[in-house]
């Protein structure tokens, strides 16, 4: 999608979650890939009300500026950040809301923000699932040269 001036319009990304989850994810993204445009964090810190979070989310959407849509990445389904993002979504259909956010999923979609909202969400969810792995050690296989002490 392009704007009136022919420039590409991206999907804006807002990461939100309990404590400093959101700012931590954004900090990690910045460390791995540098500063990213139209990516912001909204933390839901101790003592903050759901209404205050909604105000911060609404402001964050405005601050994104010209975007083709907004993707909310939240920490856990059913938590206040997720619920407030869903509440925003009910009144603004150009949004998508995902929970279970991890760095892999955000990194994967950072450079695919010209996709449709549906494609963007699918890619994000697939990357998020693929990014959850467990290390499994394998027995070391002795090389033929090991017998000679080499």
């Amino acid at each position: 999608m392009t704007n009136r001036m022919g420039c590409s319009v991206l999907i804006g990304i807002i990461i939100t979650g309990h404590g400093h989850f959101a700012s931590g994810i954004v900090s990690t993204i910045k460390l791995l890939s540098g500063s990213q445009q139209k990516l912001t964090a909204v933390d839901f810190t101790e003592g903050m009300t759901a209404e205050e979070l909604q105000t911060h989310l609404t402001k964050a959407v405005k601050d994104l500026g010209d975007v083709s849509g907004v993707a909310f990445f939240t920490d856990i389904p059913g938590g206040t950040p997720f619920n407030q993002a869903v509440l925003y979504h009910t009144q603004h259909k150009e949004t998508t809301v995902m929970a279970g956010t991890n760095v892999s999923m955000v990194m994967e979609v950072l450079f695919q923000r010209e996709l449709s909202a549906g494609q963007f969400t699918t890619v994000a969810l697939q990357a998020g699932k693929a990014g959850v792995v467990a290390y499994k050690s394998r027995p070391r296989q002795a090389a033929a040269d090991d017998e000679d002490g080499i």
Side-chain angles (χ1 to χ4, degrees), residues 12-14 38-40 59-67 69-70:
I13 296 175
I14 297 174
K38 305 203 183 286
L39 166 69
T40 193
K59 181 181 181 319
V61 171
K62 276 188 170 179
D63 290 348
L64 289 173
D66 191 16
V67 293
V70 175

Side-chain angles (χ1 to χ4, degrees), residues 54 58 61 70 72 87-96:
Q54 186 63 230
T58 300
V61 171
V70 175
F72 289 98
L87 182 62
Y88 187 92
H89 169 74
T90 62
Q91 298 173 15
H92 303 89
K93 296 301 180 193
E94 71 287 350
T95 61
T96 185

Side-chain angles (χ1 to χ4, degrees), residues 16 95 111 134:
T16 186
T95 61
F111 305 104

